Amino acid sequence: MSLYAISPVAEVTLPIIGREELFPVRRVYCVGRNYAAHAREMGDDPNRDLPFFFCKDRSCVQLVTLNDVTPLPYPDATERFEYEVELVVALSQGGRNLTLDEAQAAVFGYGVGLDMTRRDLQSLAKQKGRPWEAGKAFEFSAPMTPIVPRGAAPVLEAGKIELSVNGEVKQSSNLTHLTWGIAEVIVKLSEQFELYPGDLIMTGTPENVGPVVIGDTIEALVEGVAEFKMEVV
């Protein structure tokens, strides 16, 4: 075998609620600081910033079950493993420089996800002006539920988003507090990247992110979409 042979990238899929087919994941986009209170706790002015984006590899996606406790491995090389609960938007259409109407039409459905973060590594990268991959794009860093099809419903504009650790509520907000709504995020993202069917967008997290340790139980939900439970192992 040639030393320069390229290994094939394994296909990553998510179940679709109520359907036999699977949702093939192409790329995972993340929106930074898209809730005003979270932007403030991270040191930004939410009234000034346009949305900014970073990516997780699709290999970071971990399927979580809805009727059981899914294990979440504690990663190597960190002493501060933090949760961020997010609404996940799944696209069935793509394109460049989309209009708001095109962006709304591109939404296939929704999930609930965690943007798990090695915060100490991310903070060090920020201080050094380096990329965030070590803090954000590691194995099992994007647990996600199956996709709930949108169907003929309008794009989500409201709904409780919440995360608890060991039964104590840590994050609690509403999608109405998104600085940039779902369609607006898709529009802005399409100005920087060509979007495709299979793309996932993690739309940002509310305030009060924080650490978990081995043995902790995380419960997360977005009203009308899904809820799930994980144990850090």
Side-chain angles (χ1 to χ4, degrees), residues 23-173:
F23 185 89
V25 178
R26 176 184 173 270
R27 180 177 284 184
V28 182
Y29 294 99
C30 302
V31 186
R33 303 176 189 176
N34 198 27
Y35 286 79
H38 176 57
R40 291 189 186 97
E41 77 176 346
M42 301 304 286
D44 270 358
D45 180 351
N47 298 315
R48 189 177 301 166
D49 285 347
L50 289 170
F52 71 92
F53 307 101
F54 59 94
C55 293
K56 290 179 183 272
D57 188 81
R58 63 186 178 185
S59 65
C60 300
V61 173
Q62 176 191 11
L63 174 65
V64 298
T65 59
L66 300 181
N67 300 313
D68 204 351
V69 180
T70 304
L72 174 61
Y74 195 101
D76 295 332
T78 186
E79 296 181 356
R80 193 165 181 88
F81 186 39
E82 294 199 351
Y83 54 78
E84 298 186 10
V85 63
E86 312 208 5
L87 172 71
V88 178
V89 176
L91 302 186
S92 57
Q93 299 179 40
R96 295 179 184 272
N97 298 309
L98 301 180
T99 66
L100 277 172
D101 287 344
E102 291 170 335
Q104 293 194 37
V107 176
F108 171 75
Y110 309 101
V112 184
L114 301 179
D115 173 13
M116 297 305 298
T117 302
R118 294 190 287 201
R119 190 72 70 196
D120 45 0
L121 299 189
Q122 184 198 26
S123 297
L124 180 61
K126 289 178 183 178
Q127 293 170 16
K128 300 289 188 178
R130 295 171 180 169
W132 291 7
E133 277 83 356
K136 289 288 190 178
F138 53 93
E139 294 80 1
F140 304 106
S141 64
M144 292 185 187
T145 66
I147 301 299
V148 179
R150 167 191 167 192
V155 171
L156 277 177
E157 295 183 349
K160 180 170 70 173
I161 178 170
E162 191 169 275
L163 181 142
S164 300
V165 178
N166 301 327
E168 180 181 352
V169 175
K170 297 292 187 179
Q171 292 185 277
S172 185
S173 189

Side-chain angles (χ1 to χ4, degrees), residues 173-187:
S173 189
N174 197 289
L175 300 180
T176 57
H177 296 156
L178 283 165
T179 304
W180 298 86
I182 291 171
E184 292 174 316
V185 163
I186 296 170
V187 167

